[in-house]
Amino acid sequence: MTGHPDAGVRDADGQLAPRLLVIAHDDYHAALVGTTADGRQFFVTTPFAWAIDDASGAEFAARYLFDAGGALVDSTIIPLGTRPGNGALPGNVAHFEEQEKAVERLLSEIQPVLFCDITVAPFSVTAHGHEFGLILNGPDSEDDHEWYWNVTVEPGDYMAFYAPWDDGEYDT
């Protein structure tokens, strides 16, 4: 369930929803996280919408800016259309020229930056017909008694964070 789950509900481990989570800088999906010279935190990433049935997928480049306390203050999302070339599945680490140029532009606009871990709050923004962000997910239904809070990077669900929220680890 995405959207606005009741953050006051406890999961199967008795945990409340995270107010903040760490994204640990790495060499994979979190390679472009860090801080700007003015103290803001940033996350530059390449979300994608799955190709489903007759609908083609869509690729994006996104930059999320957060204040020092982790609240989202700005988002820039660039639509890139469908992935060109040999039909590689969206969301893998294969890059294409238009995507690389968009990512370079998003980074150049906030230079200088320091690549490092960031601590940010879950958020959601709607753009280009999709929900983007670090989406807080709660129970699938009222009858789901063995669920756990998680936060996924959307669209594409290519990073998933679980408690403990301060370790920066994610699943792909």
Side-chain angles (χ1 to χ4, degrees), residues 99-146:
Q99 180 188 66
E100 290 173 3
K101 286 180 180 180
V103 166
E104 287 173 15
R105 182 187 119 203
L106 292 171
L107 280 172
S108 72
E109 293 171 349
I110 58 171
Q111 291 292 335
V113 299
L114 171 66
F115 295 105
C116 60
D117 298 356
I118 61 174
T119 302
V120 297
F123 70 93
S124 171
V125 296
T126 301
H128 311 290
H130 299 280
E131 182 180 30
F132 289 82
L134 291 164
I135 309 300
L136 178 64
N137 299 291
D140 290 327
S141 72
E142 290 183 21
D143 297 330
D144 188 1
H145 299 290
E146 291 198 34

Side-chain angles (χ1 to χ4, degrees), residues 9 15 32-33 38 45 89 91 96 114 124-125 145 148 157 170:
V9 173
Q15 300 293 314
L32 304 177
V33 302
D38 63 5
T45 188
L89 294 174
F96 52 97
L114 171 66
S124 171
V125 296
H145 299 290
Y148 302 91
D157 188 13
Y170 59 89

Side-chain angles (χ1 to χ4, degrees), residues 139-164:
D140 290 327
S141 72
E142 290 183 21
D143 297 330
D144 188 1
H145 299 290
E146 291 198 34
W147 63 274
Y148 302 91
W149 287 110
N150 68 82
V151 175
T152 55
V153 178
E154 300 290 352
D157 188 13
Y158 54 98
M159 296 172 79
F161 297 86
Y162 302 87

